[in-house]
Amino acid sequence: MHLKQYALALILTTLAGGAEVSASGSSSVGEDKLWYSSPAGKWLDALPLGNGSLGGMVFGGPNVERVQFNEQTLWLGDEIEMGSYQPFGDLFAGWSHSEPTDYRRELDLSDATHRVVYKANGVTYRREAFASYPDQVLVMRFTADKPGSYSGVIRLTDAHQAKIIADGNRLMSVGRLSNGLEYEAQAWILQEGGKIVSDNATLRIERSDKVTLILAAGTSFANDPSKNWRGDAPHRRVTSRLEAAAKKSFEQLHAAHTADYRNLFDRVTLRLGDGPSAKPTNERLAARRKGDADPDLEALLFQYGRYLLISSSRPGGLPANLQGIWNADLKPAWYSGYTCNINLQMNYWPAELTGLSECHEPMFRWIQNMAVVYKRTKDERVRTPKGRGWSNYSTTNPMGGTSHWGVHRPNSAWLVQHMWLRYEFTRNKEFLRTVAYPAIKEIVEFWEDRLVAGPDGKLITPDGWSPEHGPVKKGDKIVLQEGDRTPHPGVSYDQQIVWDLFSNYIDASAALGVDPGYRAKVASMRDRLLGPRVGKWGQIQEWMEDVDDPKDRHRHNSHLFALHPGRQISPLTTPEWAAAARVSLNARGDVSTGWSKAWKINLWARLYDGNRSHKLIGELFKVSILDNLFDSHPPFQMDGNWGYTSGVAEMLLQSHLSEEGVPLLHLLPALPSAWPDGKVVGLRARGGFSVDMEWKRGKLVSSVIRSTVGTKCRVLHAGKKVEFQLTPGSQKVFQIQE
Ligand code: FUC
C-alpha cells in the first residue's frame, strides 16, 4: 500500500498542562436528533430510552402513548440452560382528544430525551421522556398550554400475565418466571389539577393540567455466581427508587439525568456535513438507501451508536445483549443472548475508541463471572485436563447457561482482549494489575496446555472451527459447510486469536514488570505459532489447508481477525498479508448481514481504503438500517450499530500499532472522498490520548492531541511521522500547511 506523500510542515505548539482545551464539543454540532412527523406504527419504528438496566421503546402515539419496557436481568434459563431474554411489560397512557395536527416526535441525543408535540382541539400538547441512570427510573411527563387538557386512562401490562394491582396513584405488576426469578414493576402517576381515580387495575385521570409517570422495575437477579445469581426480592428496591424519585420535581430528575448522560456523550462530537436537515429521519434514510449523499446522517448514526451504548451498558449492570436492552419478544432471535464469536465483542468495539470506557465495565464483570462459572464446570469442552484457564460456548446467557450449539475455544481469549484494550486506552495500571493481567494470564495457560505441534513444528490449536462454516472432510477432500463444527486443527481464527492473546500478555507483563520468565516463554510460543498463510489464489487462508473457495460469501470474516480487531496484519507492518487480506475481503464481497458489513467497514479502514469502507456504509444503509436507525441482521440486532460506530472511528483514527512500545497515532488513515470536510473532537487513542481533527477538501488542517497520562507518542499522517513526549494533561496542537 503506497502511502501518499505530500509536503507536510507540522507546526507543533505545546501548551502547558493547565491549558487543557475542553475535550467536549457542543452537542448542537450536527443537531443530533432523530425525528419523525408521525407516531411509531410498529415496534421497530419506536425510539429507545435506556439507563443501562431499564429500557423503554417509546411509540409517541398522541391518543395512546405506549412504552414497551425491559429490565436487563429479566432472563429465563440458568447457569446451564440458555433460556432467553424476556420483555417486561407495557405502560399505556390513553387520552381522549381529537385527531392531532402539527405532529412531531424526536429523540434528542444531546440530552437523551424523547419529545412529542402536536396540536388538538386548539391545544398544544407536549411530552418528554427519559431513562435516568442516577435515579434508576424512567420518567414521562405530559403538559399542555391549556389547563384541564388531560383526561384518560393509564394502564400497566405484564408480558407474563402477572396480576396488575392499582394502589392509590400507583400501578404494580409482581410475578415470577418459571426459573424462579422474581420480578416487579411499579408506575407512579402524579397529576397536577383535576383528579386521579383508581379503576379496576387502571388509573383514570380527569381534567388534569400535567401528568407525570415514573416507572421503576427490578428482579431478584444477583450478578454474582457465588450467590447462584439470586439476591433479594425486588419489592423494597423498586419501591425506594420510585418513592425517592417521586419526591423530586421533573426538572430535578431531568437535570440529574442530563448531567450524568452528557458527562459521557459530550466527550466526542463529529461533524461530516453542513449541519441539521429539514427532513424527518425516515425520509433522509429513504434517500440514503437510494444512494443520495447525507454525511450528516452518517455522523448521526455514529453518535446514535454511542447513545445506544450509554443507554444499554452502565457500571453495575449486565453487558449489552444482542438487542442492547430492548426486546418485545417472548422468544427473541438467538435468545437475545451473548454470542461470543463476534457479536458480543462487536457491541463493545466503540467503547474505548469513542470515550465510553465506563460502558465497557459490564463486559469485564461478566468475563470475570464466566471465569468462575466455567472453572467450576466439569465440562471438558471448555476446560483442559490440567484445569488451568477456561473457555466458553458460542452462545450464552448472563449466567453462563448455553444453547450448547457449539464451543469456540478461542472465545475467552477474544473476550479478555477487551480487558487489554481498556488498559491500552486508559493506561490504568491498577485495572491492569488487579483485573486484566490475571484474567489474560490464565487464558494464556489454557492455551499453553492445549497447543500441539503441527506441520514443520509450528504450534497449532488442535480442535477449532472457523465461525460458522466448517470445514468438513468429505472423503479426502475438505469442503465448507454452513454451521459445521467438526473439530479441525490449525484454523486461522484460532491461530490469530491466540497470537493476539500472547501479544497482549507479553505487553501486559512488560507494562507491569512482572513474570519475565513466563513472558519469555510466551514470546517463544508466539513465535512458533502457525501464522497467517497466503493461499493459491492470493487469499488469507481460513484454514490450515489451502481450501478456501473464492466464491465463498460467508458472513463471518473470522480469518481476518488479525486485521481487525487484531493487530497482526497491517499494510504498514505486514504488507504481503495485508494484500492477501484485501483479496479475501474482495472475495467475501460487500453484501451480507448488518453486523458483517459493519465489521467490513473496520476491516477496509485497517487497509486504509476509506472509499471502500464508505461503500460498505452505503451497503449498510441500503438494507440493514431500519427507520429507527436500529441495525438489522435481519432480524434486528444491535451489534451492527456498534460495529458501524467503531468503523467510522477507525476510518478517522487508528492506534493499534506501536513501535518499541510507543503508540502510533495514525490520523485520517481512511478518509473517504465522501467526507471532504469535517471535524471530530475527543476520539480516544491507545496510550491515553484524546484527539481532535479538522479537515478541509480531504486534507487535515489541524489536530489537537491530549495526553491524560503523559507518555511518548508518534503521530503518522499522510506518510509523515513525528514523535514527541507529553506530560500528564498537556497537549500538542498541529496546524498543517500543505
Ligand atoms: C452468530 C452469527 C449470526 C447471528 C448470531 C446472533 O451465530 O453467525 O449471523 O448474528 O450470531
Side-chain angles (χ1 to χ4, degrees), residues 20-27 29 32 264-272 299 302-303 306 352-356 648-649 652-653 668 678-685 689-695 702-706 731:
E20 175 64 14
V21 170
S22 151
S24 62
S26 137
S27 61
V29 167
D32 296 322
L264 294 167
F265 184 76
D266 284 1
R267 290 175 186 170
V268 174
T269 59
L270 175 64
R271 176 177 52 74
L272 294 175
F302 167 86
Q303 287 289 39
R306 299 185 65 246
E352 303 298 337
L353 287 171
T354 69
L356 301 179
V648 171
L652 299 175
L653 176 67
L668 300 183
K679 180 172 184 180
V680 65
V681 168
L683 283 184
R684 278 5 186 215
F689 297 98
S690 83
V691 178
D692 306 352
M693 291 178 282
E694 184 157 12
W695 60 97
S702 68
S703 177
V704 180
I705 294 180
R706 288 175 210 87
Q731 63 179 34

Side-chain angles (χ1 to χ4, degrees), residues 9-17 19 21 702-706 722 724-726 730-736:
L10 291 180
I11 300 171
L12 306 180
T13 51
T14 303
L15 298 174
V21 170
S702 68
S703 177
V704 180
I705 294 180
R706 288 175 210 87
V722 288
F724 49 86
Q725 173 77 34
L726 285 171
S730 72
Q731 63 179 34
K732 274 231 181 287
V733 180
F734 292 75
Q735 303 295 342
I736 318 285

Side-chain angles (χ1 to χ4, degrees), residues 594-649:
W595 63 262
S596 177
K597 288 179 283 199
W599 192 355
K600 290 168 183 169
I601 297 170
N602 290 270
L603 289 163
W604 282 110
R606 287 284 176 93
L607 291 175
Y608 311 142
D609 190 334
N611 286 335
R612 192 60 179 277
S613 286
H614 194 261
K615 179 175 180 298
L616 264 302
I617 289 176
E619 294 294 337
L620 193 71
F621 270 104
K622 202 185 292 179
V623 293
S624 303
I625 297 296
L626 304 170
D627 277 359
N628 66 351
L629 300 191
F630 277 5
D631 166 64
S632 174
H633 177 288
F636 154 54
Q637 246 182 237
M638 198 154 271
D639 47 11
N641 285 99
W642 291 312
Y644 171 83
T645 294
S646 161
V648 171

Side-chain angles (χ1 to χ4, degrees), residues 333-631:
W334 289 287
Y335 324 98
S336 201
Y338 302 133
T339 303
C340 303
N341 61 20
I342 180 62
N343 311 85
L344 173 62
Q345 290 93 329
M346 185 180 282
N347 285 3
Y348 286 92
W349 284 355
E352 303 298 337
L353 287 171
T354 69
L356 301 179
S357 189
E358 294 89 334
C359 299
H360 220 161
E361 286 179 24
M363 184 190 192
F364 306 141
R365 171 74 182 275
W366 185 76
I367 294 167
Q368 290 176 306
N369 286 346
M370 290 308 101
V372 171
V373 168
Y374 283 92
K375 285 195 288 194
R376 68 185 182 196
T377 173
K378 298 283 173 283
D379 182 341
E380 87 296 334
R381 298 183 74 195
V382 291
R383 303 302 312 284
T384 67
K386 282 189 180 175
R388 298 196 304 175
W390 56 278
S391 190
N392 64 316
Y393 281 84
S394 170
T395 304
T396 54
N397 67 23
M399 299 150 280
T402 175
S403 63
H404 303 282
W405 180 71
V407 174
H408 277 291
R409 289 191 181 82
N411 284 357
S412 52
W414 191 348
L415 291 171
V416 296
Q417 180 206 49
H418 283 254
M419 292 180 165
W420 171 244
L421 288 174
R422 152 61 78 86
Y423 170 71
E424 284 209 286
F425 277 85
T426 62
R427 290 290 170 96
N428 180 331
K429 279 277 177 70
E430 187 56 19
F431 173 82
L432 179 64
R433 192 177 58 76
T434 58
V435 176
Y437 186 76
I440 292 169
K441 185 175 181 185
E442 68 177 4
I443 306 297
V444 170
E445 291 164 343
F446 177 81
W447 285 104
E448 182 188 357
D449 297 344
R450 301 196 84 254
L451 291 172
V452 296
D456 10 305
K458 291 289 185 186
L459 284 177
I460 61 172
T461 62
D463 51 6
W465 55 287
S466 191
E468 292 186 356
H469 67 149
V472 289
K473 272 191 180 295
K474 300 276 183 195
D476 60 351
K477 274 177 69 62
I478 285 184
V479 294
L480 313 183
Q481 190 168 309
E482 166 63 35
D484 181 81
R485 303 181 288 288
T486 310
H488 205 78
V491 167
S492 298
Y493 173 82
D494 289 22
Q495 300 295 130
Q496 293 175 14
I497 291 178
V498 173
W499 187 93
D500 188 75
L501 169 76
F502 286 178
S503 300
N504 298 341
Y505 173 76
I506 291 161
D507 292 350
S509 69
L512 291 174
V514 297
D515 297 333
Y518 193 55
R519 186 187 323 149
K521 177 170 188 179
V522 175
S524 154
M525 287 196 291
R526 180 183 66 176
D527 295 342
R528 289 179 50 215
L529 281 171
L530 177 67
R533 307 177 110 180
V534 181
K536 55 180 173 289
W537 43 277
Q539 85 286 6
I540 289 284
Q541 288 180 207
E542 187 155 356
W543 294 278
M544 191 161 63
E545 303 81 359
D546 190 353
V547 295
D548 303 71
D549 175 352
K551 294 187 294 301
D552 179 0
R553 301 284 183 271
H554 199 270
R555 63 191 176 279
H556 280 264
N557 308 296
S558 310
H559 54 316
L560 300 177
F561 171 97
L563 179 63
H564 178 279
R567 50 180 166 139
Q568 189 179 13
I569 294 179
S570 155
L572 285 181
T573 55
T574 60
E576 295 76 19
W577 286 344
R582 175 181 281 272
V583 170
S584 291
L585 262 176
N586 276 319
R588 270 302 203 271
D590 297 346
V591 177
S592 189
T593 61
W595 63 262
S596 177
K597 288 179 283 199
W599 192 355
K600 290 168 183 169
I601 297 170
N602 290 270
L603 289 163
W604 282 110
R606 287 284 176 93
L607 291 175
Y608 311 142
D609 190 334
N611 286 335
R612 192 60 179 277
S613 286
H614 194 261
K615 179 175 180 298
L616 264 302
I617 289 176
E619 294 294 337
L620 193 71
F621 270 104
K622 202 185 292 179
V623 293
S624 303
I625 297 296
L626 304 170
D627 277 359
N628 66 351
L629 300 191
F630 277 5
D631 166 64

Side-chain angles (χ1 to χ4, degrees), residues 56-86:
M57 289 293 279
V58 185
F59 284 65
N63 285 310
V64 179
E65 176 58 271
R66 175 188 176 196
V67 180
Q68 182 273 324
F69 67 93
N70 290 89
E71 199 281 343
Q72 67 169 177
T73 64
L74 193 68
W75 268 86
L76 287 167
D78 53 33
E79 191 169 303
I80 306 298
E81 294 313 320
M82 186 75 197
S84 61
Y85 182 46
Q86 292 298 292

